[in-house]
Amino acid sequence: MIRSFLPSFSPARFRVPAPLMLLIGMFTLHTGSALAVTAFEHAGPATVTWLRLSWAAVLLLAIGGRPLWRAVRAATRRELGAVVILGTASAGMMMFYSEATARIELGTATSIEFLGTLVVAVAAMRRRRELVWIVAAVVGVVCLTRPWHGDLDLVGVGFALAGAVCVIGYIILTQKVGAGFGAVHGLTLSMVVGAVVTAPLGAPAVIAEPNLELIGFTLLIALLFPMVPFLLEMIALQRMSRTGYSTFSSLEPAVALVMGMIVIGQAPVAVQMVGMGLVVIAGIGAARGDRGSGPAVPEKKVVRERHIRTGPEAKDGASGPHTPARTEVPEPERFEDRGSVHGITAA
């Protein structure tokens, strides 16, 4: 019997400060992304991405245990449909990002994809003056890509922009899935769907020419991204304010640039450093414009209803023969409480 390890991730028991967990998750994530770039020498981005998603799905299924299957059986068709769409968006986000990093620098690809997060953040505030942050980020991306040099890889930029579109859908759908399943279960199911969706693109190469070294290496990468950072992020989301979380998340493009330098030697020039600074400033500015003080993602709330048996033999608190003693109903989250969250709370 597989036991669920979810209680061990309880925010109440995890005493590491939430901002530190978020930063560790970022560095872990982009270490995994940088290592994935090195794996592209042995297999295509689609194959590497499918292996990572498959490993993540297998590991998370083991963590979920019986509570996961109970949640699936209790889910409505609409909730299951939302999981399928979220998993598809997650797969697209990772696949497009991998294809982009195979062609352009890691920090540049991350900054372009970060535009999706900024669009959602600014749109949620509904103030025209906040559009300045989108403009600043776009100028930053132009500085990063340096189109005036004439050697811009338009295909790589196109894949990164497609990833940004997937991020927008990912953020919106994460709220719906998180409300129905909770963070870890939603993440698990979305990874399973992502592995299935990307199988036609990634599995044929593995089946035709199995490479045990590559398969083992992608297990390591899957632990670095998405497993560890998403789990750390889910804990941090429940302990940080929306503004605080969004502010720290704005550092992600810079973290990607640093890890690209350290792991695979992608050294930026001066104008690219300026562009990265503009993207980070835009993210922080959008985050500070959001005055939300509650947790970025509140813990899943439960409404309990007590059904009292009627009749002369009834006692206070006793349940009737045909009604459950307690019914658990997840209280849905509001989209306004999501802010610019881009990780799975549910990737």
Side-chain angles (χ1 to χ4, degrees), residues 1-26:
M1 179 179 69
I2 298 176
R3 293 184 59 189
S4 172
F5 295 95
L6 299 185
S8 63
F9 293 107
S10 171
R13 301 180 186 182
F14 212 108
R15 299 301 180 185
V16 177
L20 179 59
M21 284 193 291
L22 197 57
L23 287 174
I24 292 172
M26 284 184 204

Side-chain angles (χ1 to χ4, degrees), residues 30 32-34 36-38 40 45 49 52 94-110 113 155-157 159-160 256 264 266:
H30 289 293
S33 297
V37 173
T38 66
F40 297 158
T49 301
R52 290 163 60 193
M94 290 184 65
M95 184 69 74
F96 289 135
Y97 182 72
S98 294
E99 293 286 354
T101 55
R103 295 168 172 82
I104 60 178
E105 294 177 344
L106 192 70
T108 302
T110 303
E113 194 174 77
V155 176
V157 172
F159 276 125
I264 50 181
Q266 293 179 342

Side-chain angles (χ1 to χ4, degrees), residues 183-245:
V184 178
H185 290 166
L187 173 61
T188 302
L189 295 172
S190 66
M191 290 296 102
V192 171
V193 172
V196 172
V197 168
T198 55
L201 301 174
V206 177
I207 296 171
E209 297 182 15
N211 185 333
L212 295 180
E213 184 177 350
L214 175 65
I215 293 172
F217 187 53
T218 52
L219 169 59
L220 169 63
I221 299 175
L223 290 171
L224 294 173
F225 174 43
M227 276 286 296
V228 171
F230 281 174
L231 289 173
L232 288 175
E233 185 180 66
M234 282 187 290
I235 300 169
L237 284 169
Q238 295 177 352
R239 298 172 56 191
M240 295 179 71
S241 70
R242 187 172 62 198
T243 302
Y245 170 79

Side-chain angles (χ1 to χ4, degrees), residues 108-132:
T108 302
T110 303
S111 298
I112 295 174
E113 194 174 77
F114 187 68
L115 293 176
T117 304
L118 274 176
V119 167
V120 175
V122 172
M125 285 182 275
R126 298 177 182 177
R127 293 193 294 267
R128 289 186 178 180
R129 65 176 180 271
E130 303 298 341
L131 291 174
V132 67

